[in-house]
Amino acid sequence: MARLLSVLCLFSLTLVYVRAQTCKKPADVAILLDASGSIGRKRWPKVAAFTKSLVNSFGVSEEGSHFAVVMYATNTAVVVDFDDFTGAARTPENINAKIDEVDYNEWKGMTYIDRGLDTANRMVFTEENGMRPDKKKILILFTDGKQTKTRDPYTELDIAAQPLKAKGVEIHALGIGKKGKIDVDELGSMATKPEYVYTAESFDDLLPMALRIIELSCDLPRKTTSVKYNAQGNFLSHLFT
């Protein structure tokens, strides 16, 4: 029996408990994802699950929330634009399908957060690229490290974030990593408010952090859910109650 239990434990681990709700306030939401080499191929599925959890929770529709996804490392790319889907095709399923198409092996590189912010400002949060001037605007930034400062020229992050803030974009900054690997002061220099800075040591905390972001940005009460990963660290499911 002990051996059987050990085998079962290899297949599924329930790690965290937080509950998700649906945000009913329409918003233009962009997620800025760290795709640098430190993320790693085995942990990328957790980053994708984090992103899809946000998409699923913001009430995506033509009249509801619109979504964009930007990735950054040494280079940047807009993976999903606000205008990629319209009408009945603007669904969480279609946006999540594009996230599933991302091949992390084509990325890696350094952590140029400033370039990601610049891309979000120039290529996402503009009316030409589908931003709605009368809707709330939210940028959710994820990183597992610090701004790269030892190679090419870079822009200090408080300065890089300013053009977005000038447009009224509410910036949430999430750092995953042990003390010393992430820089809370950097995150704070980008975030719109101190309470919009989120930190955790483990990638296992990505989903509950995503749900906390939803709760804060939508003024929702905190609740609970079960999130599962397999022994290899891959996301299995989350059950909302």
Side-chain angles (χ1 to χ4, degrees):
M1 177 62 72
R3 182 176 180 183
L4 175 59
L5 289 174
S6 297
V7 172
L8 289 174
C9 287
L10 289 173
F11 287 97
S12 179
L13 297 174
T14 301
L15 297 174
V16 290
Y17 299 90
V18 187
R19 171 172 146 186
Q21 304 174 78
T22 299
C23 184
K24 297 181 180 179
K25 298 179 180 179
D28 289 342
V29 184
I31 309 176
L32 187 53
L33 295 177
D34 187 341
S36 61
S38 58
I39 299 294
R41 180 176 55 83
K42 291 183 178 180
R43 292 187 294 196
W44 178 254
K46 293 183 181 180
V47 178
F50 159 78
T51 308
K52 291 189 286 186
S53 177
L54 289 169
V55 173
N56 290 337
S57 298
F58 265 97
V60 173
S61 70
E62 187 62 24
E63 299 302 320
S65 291
H66 295 183
F67 250 85
V69 179
V70 178
M71 295 174 61
Y72 70 92
T74 300
N75 300 312
T76 68
V78 179
V79 176
V80 181
D81 206 337
F82 286 141
D83 279 343
D84 277 355
F85 301 103
T86 59
R90 194 187 296 276
T91 64
E93 292 79 12
N94 284 337
I95 295 171
N96 288 339
K98 294 202 72 170
I99 295 167
D100 285 334
E101 291 172 2
V102 171
D103 183 358
Y104 171 75
N105 291 319
E106 295 178 355
W107 281 83
K108 306 179 183 178
M110 309 305 290
T111 308
Y112 284 99
I113 302 172
D114 59 328
R115 298 178 185 179
L117 291 167
D118 179 62
T119 297
N121 178 56
R122 292 185 300 101
M123 301 178 65
V124 174
F125 283 104
T126 68
E127 292 186 43
E128 293 78 11
N129 288 295
M131 182 189 75
R132 297 171 294 178
D134 61 334
K135 295 294 187 285
K136 184 175 183 178
K137 292 168 278 292
I138 302 171
L139 176 70
I140 301 166
L141 182 149
F142 160 72
T143 184
D144 79 330
K146 305 175 185 178
Q147 167 72 32
T148 296
K149 299 180 179 180
T150 57
R151 301 206 176 191
D152 298 331
Y154 67 94
T155 302
E156 292 289 348
L157 295 182
D158 58 337
I159 297 172
Q162 193 54 45
L164 290 161
K165 292 179 178 178
K167 293 178 179 178
V169 178
E170 178 182 289
I171 301 178
H172 296 251
L174 167 60
I176 298 292
K178 295 186 181 298
K179 186 177 180 180
K181 191 173 186 298
I182 58 175
D183 188 327
V184 176
D185 289 337
E186 278 192 349
L187 298 174
S189 73
M190 295 180 285
T192 301
K193 299 178 181 180
E195 56 264 40
Y196 292 170
V197 173
Y198 314 81
T199 62
E201 289 192 356
S202 171
F203 276 69
D204 295 333
D205 295 319
L206 271 175
L207 282 174
M209 291 294 102
L211 306 182
R212 186 60 183 146
I213 290 168
I214 294 162
E215 289 162 356
L216 276 179
S217 61
C218 299
D219 300 319
L220 297 171
R222 188 160 192 173
K223 305 200 175 168
T224 57
T225 193
S226 170
V227 182
K228 291 187 176 183
Y229 296 90
N230 64 16
Q232 287 72 43
N234 296 322
F235 170 76
L236 294 176
S237 65
H238 47 212
L239 305 174
F240 300 153
T241 58

